[in-house]
Amino acid sequence: MPVTIKVNEESFTPRQQAVLTAALDLLVENGEGLTMTAVARRASCSKETLYKWFGDRDGLLTATVQWQAAKVRMPQVDRSALSAKALRLSIEQFARDLLTTIVGEVSITLNRTAVTHAAQEKDRLGIIVLENGPLAIRRRLKPILEAGRDARLLRFDNSEDAYRTFFGLVVRDVQIRLLLGDRSLTQSNVEANIEADATAATNQFFALYGADTAP
Amino acid sequence: MPVTIKVNEESFTPRQQAVLTAALDLLVENGEGLTMTAVARRASCSKETLYKWFGDRDGLLTATVQWQAAKVRMPQVDRSALSAKALRLSIEQFARDLLTTIVGEVSITLNRTAVTHAAQEKDRLGIIVLENGPLAIRRRLKPILEAGRDARLLRFDNSEDAYRTFFGLVVRDVQIRLLLGDRSLTQSNVEANIEADATAATNQFFALYGADTAP
DNA sequence: ACAGAACCGTACCGTACGGTACGCCAAGCC
DNA sequence: GGCTTGGCGTACCGTACGGTACGGTTCTGT
């Protein structure tokens, strides 16, 4: 008895959002410790209500991920001002935001949950995370890159390639190491370097795609 | 009753390796379908034997990952020949091998398993995968990079940064998308582009770190 | 030839957890 | 005040699975 997923609706009642918050908290704390009983207890509601609202465990999980993934802050950069300096700042800001998001505990949890899910023929969560993570960034960044090209500030044939290179330069091996639980990458440790890393990645990106680069 | 893990020993009897193969097959097919009963049935052995050999489910999982991760082919490049051309070929070969590994079904399965594991305070598998994946590549690549620098073919302050940039340029968003089950990235689809992607990444890497690059 | 170990197959136990049923209370509505 | 609805809490059921026990069979060493 599948329940229609609420997409593009923030139509969760406050009570329901409280439940989703509880579920997310459990996910973050316990990883796989998201049991229906635990959520019910944490949110002070009955299991019956959970099943009524979300259909089954998978529905609850999906709703939680969906709801949380949709609220990752995505930088809104103005496309109008296109001086070389403004473009660089925009892109650097993107790098910063991307790193900040990826490093966050919520993001790590969501990605882990989705990967776990994807290990069982189910790609629903994976698609959701993908859609709200990398792909969302791509949707926002591409127009900026193309505007930069139109203004002769950047040079590339394929904006897709340019975006993916940017992603690689910024993320490097940080995300996979965090997902794998690398102990030598403490949260604070990484956070302290976000500024420098974002700047470095931006410099490298411009070195590769800046219009003043030798072809 | 923990069982000592066999590290740096290929000391699994053929029979045990058959069991591990069965376990890996189940992992690849079913993701989380690795149940002790299933492994026993698939390998035509008794559960009691499994527990005797591997201690518990976690031990079996660890042994499987350990055993499999250790056998990922790692390119052996000769450090001696250090013409500019040879260096570029070595690095390009690294890119190719890295991509080929990452795209493989076994690698995806192992990484997913380790990530799932890491979502439960357990970082054992994560460390193993990390150690045999990115870190192994790093151990092999770094000397080459440094040799390249000593021969004035490359220029960088920090070989760690250079390695991580290389990793980012090569892997980009491919791995995370595969782990998340991105349907638009079929195996064959990606494999077909390995050659081109490896070359492109190498070019970009030399553009950033080649000695003839403007500082 | 015989004892003992190794191991297979199966049956069994305990528990955790997804999912359901039911009794009860409180709020809104007639 | 009665009645309905929504939701809480708890008890309950079924099952899947980790882990153990045990009888029977093959292999090994003496």
Side-chain angles (χ1 to χ4, degrees), chain A residues 34-37 47-48 51 56-57:
Chain A
L34 187 137
T35 98
M36 301 303 274
T37 309
K47 283 170 66 175
E48 201 169 12
Y51 284 102
D56 57 4
R57 183 179 181 278

Side-chain angles (χ1 to χ4, degrees), chain A residues 108-184:
Chain A
I108 296 178
T109 300
L110 259 44
N111 275 279
R112 279 186 183 154
T113 305
V115 168
T116 300
H117 215 67
Q120 316 161 345
E121 297 96 295
K122 313 180 181 177
D123 46 7
R124 229 161 149 214
L125 293 189
I127 291 175
I128 293 176
V129 170
L130 225 37
E131 197 62 40
N132 291 276
L135 300 190
I137 298 260
R138 178 173 71 170
R139 276 197 303 275
R140 303 251 187 181
L141 184 55
K142 262 191 182 176
I144 296 184
L145 296 182
E146 284 163 4
R149 178 177 58 180
D150 294 346
R152 316 252 176 191
L153 295 171
L154 295 175
R155 174 189 317 197
F156 50 79
D157 294 334
N158 187 338
S159 67
E160 175 72 9
D161 279 344
Y163 154 72
R164 295 179 70 194
T165 300
F166 175 78
F167 185 96
L169 286 172
V170 173
V171 173
R172 308 209 221 164
D173 59 356
V174 172
Q175 187 170 33
I176 186 65
R177 287 172 69 182
L178 286 175
L179 292 184
L180 287 173
D182 188 342
R183 287 254 156 119
S184 64

Side-chain angles (χ1 to χ4, degrees), chain B residues 59-213:
Chain B
L60 173 58
L61 208 54
T62 306
T64 306
V65 171
Q66 174 94 43
W67 173 68
Q68 191 54 228
K71 58 157 64 173
V72 295
R73 189 174 69 87
M74 203 59 59
Q76 196 66 8
V77 194
D78 51 346
R79 281 186 58 181
S80 51
L82 260 181
S83 68
K85 189 153 194 168
L87 179 65
R88 176 178 282 265
L89 282 180
S90 293
I91 291 179
E92 194 169 337
Q93 185 59 36
F94 249 96
R96 241 191 311 268
D97 287 328
L98 180 52
L99 274 177
T100 306
T101 301
I102 278 179
V103 162
E105 213 160 358
V106 171
S107 164
I108 295 177
T109 300
L110 259 43
N111 276 279
R112 279 187 183 154
T113 306
V115 168
T116 300
H117 215 67
Q120 314 161 346
E121 297 96 294
K122 314 180 181 177
D123 46 7
R124 230 161 149 214
L125 294 189
I127 290 174
I128 294 176
V129 169
L130 223 39
E131 197 61 40
N132 291 276
L135 299 189
I137 297 258
R138 179 173 72 170
R139 276 195 304 275
R140 304 250 184 178
L141 184 55
K142 262 193 182 175
I144 296 183
L145 295 182
E146 284 163 3
R149 178 178 57 181
D150 294 346
R152 316 252 176 191
L153 295 171
L154 294 176
R155 173 190 320 196
F156 50 80
D157 293 334
N158 186 339
S159 67
E160 175 72 9
D161 278 344
Y163 154 74
R164 295 180 69 194
T165 300
F166 176 78
F167 185 96
L169 286 172
V170 173
V171 173
R172 307 208 224 166
D173 59 355
V174 172
Q175 188 170 34
I176 187 64
R177 286 173 70 181
L178 285 174
L179 292 184
L180 287 173
D182 188 341
R183 286 254 155 120
S184 65
L185 253 61
T186 70
Q187 184 113 349
S188 56
N189 183 8
V190 176
E191 274 173 1
N193 289 333
I194 286 186
E195 275 306 316
D197 286 351
T199 305
T202 306
N203 288 339
Q204 291 178 325
F205 181 76
F206 273 92
L208 290 176
Y209 292 101
D212 49 0
T213 307

Side-chain angles (χ1 to χ4, degrees), chain B residues 34-37 47-48 51 56-57:
Chain B
L34 188 136
T35 108
M36 301 303 274
T37 310
K47 283 170 66 176
E48 200 168 13
Y51 285 102
D56 57 4
R57 183 179 182 277

